Amino acid sequence: MDKPTLIVGFSPRPGRYSLLAYESLCSHGHSVILMNMRGGEYEGKRVFRFCCEEVKTLPIHTITLYLRPAVQALYYDCLLDLKPQRIIFNPGTENSEFEKLWRQKGVEVVHGCTLVMLRTHQY
């Protein structure tokens, strides 16, 4: 079942976990939306810069974070406007303040690794 996923903090650099997550999500049949601070394009797919209005119109089931907490604050308003069913705080991205805001919106908060969740069929 496709669970359209927004990867926030995507990096096209080899070895980056966000790139590995992109590849794994695609191989598992999930639609992927990419976002980072630079924007641009990767493999013909648009990389959104922050949260433009276009992103708000896309169906997003899951947000998976690859941003350290200090940078996440720049994305609070933008991401909280989206209506995902869950958000995954990958290792190193845990942020109690942001997590609390998601829980108040009724969004499932997961502390986990997207890659492990996919490999173990927990995604």
Side-chain angles (χ1 to χ4, degrees), residues 91-108:
T93 66
E94 298 88 350
N95 177 342
S96 59
E97 176 184 17
F98 202 20
E99 294 167 23
K100 181 179 177 182
L101 295 171
W102 284 108
R103 284 190 178 98
Q104 289 171 350
K105 288 181 116 353
V107 174
E108 177 187 6

Side-chain angles (χ1 to χ4, degrees), residues 5 11 23 27 46 85 91 95 110-111 122:
T5 301
S11 173
E23 293 167 346
S27 71
R46 181 174 177 187
Q85 292 181 28
N95 177 342
V110 176
H111 289 186
Q122 296 174 16

Side-chain angles (χ1 to χ4, degrees), residues 10-115:
F10 172 76
S11 173
R13 289 192 213 152
R16 295 290 185 162
Y17 287 110
S18 61
L19 176 59
L20 296 173
Y22 166 76
E23 293 167 346
S24 188
L25 284 161
C26 290
S27 71
H28 281 85
H30 298 288
S31 306
V32 181
I33 303 149
L34 307 173
M35 182 185 290
N36 64 26
M37 296 187 77
R38 292 178 194 84
E41 190 174 294
Y42 180 75
E43 293 187 340
K45 183 179 253 328
R46 181 174 177 187
V47 179
F48 292 94
R49 183 168 187 252
F50 290 111
C51 241
C52 67
E53 288 301 313
E54 251 181 280
V55 172
K56 295 176 184 179
T57 66
L58 300 173
I60 297 172
H61 177 278
T62 299
I63 294 173
T64 184
L65 286 178
Y66 290 94
L67 288 176
R68 64 185 188 277
V71 179
Q72 290 172 17
L74 298 171
Y75 288 79
Y76 281 11
D77 291 336
C78 143
L79 295 178
L80 289 165
D81 281 346
L82 305 176
K83 295 179 176 44
Q85 292 181 28
R86 74 176 164 188
I87 182 163
I88 301 170
F89 285 85
N90 287 279
T93 66
E94 298 88 350
N95 177 342
S96 59
E97 176 184 17
F98 202 20
E99 294 167 23
K100 181 179 177 182
L101 295 171
W102 284 108
R103 284 190 178 98
Q104 289 171 350
K105 288 181 116 353
V107 174
E108 177 187 6
V109 173
V110 176
H111 289 186
C113 174
T114 298
L115 293 167

